[in-house]
Amino acid sequence: MISNLVNGLSVASQSGNSQPVFNPATGEQVDDLALSSVDEVNQAIDAAAAAAPAWAATPPLKRAGMMFKFNELLGKRADDIARAISREHGKTHDDALGEVQRGKEVVEYACGIPSLLKGEFSRNVGPQIDSFSDRQPLGVVAGITPFNFPAMVPLWMYPVAVACGNTFILKPSERDPSAVNLIAEIFHEAGFPPGVLNVVHGDKTAVDTILDSPIIQAVSFVGSTPIAEYVYQRGSASGKRVQALGGAKNHMVVLPDADMQQAAEALMGAGYGSAGERCMAISVAVPVGEKTADQLVEKLVPMVEALKVGPADDADAEMGPVITRDAKERISGLIDSGVNQGAELLVDGRSLSLQGYENGYFLGGSLFDKVTTEMDIYKQEIFGPVLSVVRANDYSEAVDMINRHEYGNGTAIFTRDGDAARDFADRIQIGMVGVNVPIPVPVAYHSFGGWKRSLFGDHSIYGPEGVHFYTRLKTITARWPSGIKDGAAYAFPTT
Ligand code: NAD
């Protein structure tokens, strides 16, 4: 049974509620996850609150020492973490290692704690008056995370939050919880005091307890858009600061002058890597002009047909299974709807069966051409290995199409024309833009976040925006009078 981690200790849940955890490659149950009760979540919140004052008062350099150690241990244990991810998520070993590395980079960023928290100082803002500002921690903050990056997304949150002097409650996805517990153990091995990071597993009950808690000051959420919107509304209504990152439908525009081989290869990695279960996956290719579309599709078809699908321990596998049997059925259903609504299914991944893994949740890659913006496969986030080609007559039509979509997470343009690329970056209503880069996930010292219904709240996640999210500004104006006697002043103070 997978347990909570509260105050540095593994705590077995007494709630009586649990749910099975599966290996998506075999369909076998590999563990049981205890789902926390309201009281159990509140106990973790109390532990975080008890640890908060001492942690906020710990000198940043001392905190940085622990963060450096955490970073070192993450590097040493990356392989174990990647295996824990693949066992419950299904992604290939290399893909899981990549996720650990990108999460670790946020830890590296958080090692610069003393610099991140430095304020500003102005001397003589008035006669013998100095002013300085400081960013101070909020207290207890929380994170709620999705299944698709069980290591990286939590690492987007708590290293920055605890570096800023907060204590943290993490509620991971129920589907692949083991990597979170393993990393939390490594976190404590690095010397962080008990109560600084607490992991509570659970479902809606745990989430609602976090959202309603008067002790928790801020909530970071990453997951699907309906839940992101719910978390934002309920958390804000109870007076919290909330950043809630939601779903996506990422388009890649291919202009006629693009290197077609490069564009097709980029679409393969960005469309089918991790079985399409990435919020920055490209799920729509938008070739501009019929000739570009024909050339692109001609290159894509044999590549999609040749995709190597397999379990994580198959070194040749390029893509693993999807997360659950339900997800497999939902994706297959959406492919059916694409066919029924008139799209051309050029490669059909629905009937893939792998010898020895017949009960696994595998799907082959699917490729649609002649998709239109009215179809469900265009409007909805499929979150599976399905790429749709929507043909645009011209560049403006491609830009307008992307700007009209409800989601605004990522996008890319492939071209050799710098002028067009610059115009695209200016006009596109999307938070993260790639120019000849298909998955433009910002590095750890920038910040990650979409626009429109891909992010609810004012702050992107990690990097400088993360530091702002997990701190509040205080400005101190001070005078040390040496014999000044200016009497009471009733007018508004000026210099
Ligand atoms: P999800 O929304 O189902 O779950 C996310 C979290 O919310 C989980 O911890 C889950 O326990 C909790 N949750 C689920 N239903 C709830 C409910 N009714 N009430 C309260 N809490 C609830 O998302 P998922 O399926 O785990 O992850 C996939 C989704 O996450 C995709 O839509 C993907 O685009 C999105 N995602 C977005 C980003 C981003 O940065 N924008 C990154 C990764 C994933």
Side-chain angles (χ1 to χ4, degrees):
M1 180 77 80
I2 298 170
S3 301
N4 292 340
L5 204 89
V6 178
N7 242 337
L9 300 171
S10 174
V11 182
S13 170
Q14 306 298 323
S15 73
N17 284 335
S18 68
Q19 83 174 49
V21 178
F22 294 96
N23 178 340
T26 60
E28 284 165 6
Q29 182 177 343
V30 288
D31 221 322
D32 246 320
L33 178 73
L35 303 174
S36 307
S37 65
V38 171
D39 281 352
E40 286 166 340
V41 177
N42 279 325
Q43 282 159 20
I45 297 171
D46 288 344
W55 183 243
T58 303
L61 261 185
K62 199 164 171 202
R63 288 193 230 139
M66 299 170 204
M67 200 63 79
F68 273 109
K69 185 72 189 169
F70 181 40
N71 183 47
E72 180 195 326
L73 294 176
L74 277 180
K76 285 189 179 146
R77 303 287 301 278
D79 222 52
D80 297 341
I81 300 168
R83 278 181 218 295
I85 295 169
S86 295
R87 184 158 169 262
E88 295 173 357
H89 177 286
K91 64 175 76 173
T92 64
H93 186 63
D94 282 355
D95 194 23
L97 274 178
E99 125 158 51
V100 176
Q101 175 57 28
R102 288 305 293 263
K104 185 173 170 296
E105 287 169 12
V106 179
V107 177
E108 287 165 10
Y109 175 75
C111 287
I113 300 166
S115 299
L116 301 180
L117 297 179
K118 266 201 302 203
E120 294 179 318
F121 183 88
S122 298
R123 190 174 165 77
N124 282 338
V125 295
Q128 291 169 302
I129 301 177
D130 303 327
S131 194
F132 59 97
S133 63
D134 186 19
R135 297 211 69 91
Q136 302 197 340
L138 304 178
V140 181
V141 299
I144 300 158
T145 54
F147 80 82
N148 66 324
F149 285 106
M152 182 183 78
V153 170
L155 289 172
W156 284 357
M157 300 175 180
Y158 66 82
V160 180
V162 305
C164 293
N166 302 284
T167 57
F168 204 89
I169 303 289
L170 174 61
K171 206 305 282 173
S173 168
E174 305 91 302
R175 314 211 191 291
D176 43 15
S178 293
V180 164
N181 276 24
L182 176 55
I183 299 174
E185 282 163 21
I186 295 170
F187 181 86
H188 286 96
E189 223 179 290
F192 286 95
V196 170
L197 170 66
N198 306 277
V199 180
V200 286
H201 294 286
D203 53 13
K204 183 169 164 47
T205 301
V207 171
D208 289 348
T209 309
I210 288 171
L211 295 176
D212 296 344
S213 164
I215 296 173
I216 292 177
Q217 300 295 308
V219 175
S220 300
F221 172 89
V222 177
S224 59
T225 285
I227 311 298
E229 189 167 28
Y230 167 77
V231 164
Y232 180 73
Q233 287 173 351
R234 188 159 175 163
S236 306
S238 78
K240 292 177 180 51
R241 199 179 271 196
V242 184
Q243 56 178 184
L245 284 72
K249 193 80 179 176
N250 305 314
H251 300 61
M252 183 171 123
V253 177
V254 182
L255 293 189
D257 68 350
D259 177 330
M260 234 26 90
Q261 183 63 23
Q262 189 193 43
E265 285 169 5
L267 280 168
M268 290 304 298
Y272 301 100
S274 207
E277 292 174 324
R278 292 182 183 139
C279 64
M280 288 293 275
I282 296 284
S283 49
V284 185
V286 190
V288 171
E290 287 298 319
K291 194 167 152 228
T292 315
D294 291 343
Q295 286 172 347
L296 188 68
V297 165
E298 195 183 313
K299 287 202 181 292
L300 282 172
V301 169
M303 287 173 155
V304 181
E305 283 171 343
L307 250 181
K308 294 197 191 76
V309 183
D313 54 9
D314 175 351
D316 292 333
E318 291 161 330
M319 164 183 124
V322 296
I323 186 71
T324 55
R325 193 175 300 287
D326 279 357
K328 179 175 168 169
E329 279 165 17
R330 187 184 54 77
I331 295 163
S332 294
L334 272 163
I335 298 174
D336 296 344
S337 84
V339 173
N340 295 337
Q341 291 173 10
E344 281 182 20
L345 184 57
L346 302 181
V347 186
D348 183 356
R350 284 173 294 185
S351 55
L352 178 101
S353 176
L354 285 184
Q355 209 183 356
Y357 294 91
E358 289 80 2
N359 293 325
Y361 316 139
F362 288 97
L363 279 166
S366 292
L367 177 67
F368 275 111
D369 193 7
K370 309 218 170 127
V371 174
T372 67
T373 55
E374 291 77 39
M375 295 176 181
D376 290 334
I377 50 169
Y378 176 77
K379 289 191 277 196
Q380 291 185 27
E381 180 183 41
I382 301 176
F383 225 54
V386 184
L387 180 65
S388 297
V389 176
V390 182
R391 296 172 173 233
N393 289 316
D394 56 37
Y395 167 71
S396 288
E397 190 182 313
V399 170
D400 292 346
M401 178 195 309
I402 298 171
N403 285 349
R404 271 198 312 272
H405 205 286
E406 65 168 323
Y407 294 121
N409 216 38
T411 189
I413 187 166
F414 272 62
T415 179
R416 290 186 173 99
D417 180 345
D419 196 25
R422 193 168 188 283
D423 181 79
F424 184 77
D426 272 356
R427 282 170 57 192
I428 211 73
Q429 300 290 308
I430 301 284
M432 294 169 284
V433 182
V435 175
N436 298 316
V437 172
I439 310 183
V441 174
V443 290
Y445 47 97
H446 284 255
S447 300
F448 181 110
W451 287 12
K452 298 188 274 185
R453 289 176 62 76
S454 292
L455 191 154
F456 301 86
D458 301 323
H459 289 89
S460 292
I461 204 162
Y462 69 75
E465 292 251 323
V467 173
H468 274 228
F469 181 74
Y470 293 124
T471 55
R472 47 169 80 96
L473 182 71
K474 185 176 276 179
T475 307
I476 295 134
T477 304
R479 174 162 85 157
W480 295 99
S482 50
I484 304 169
K485 294 201 173 44
D486 41 21
Y490 297 96
F492 196 65
T494 66
T495 55

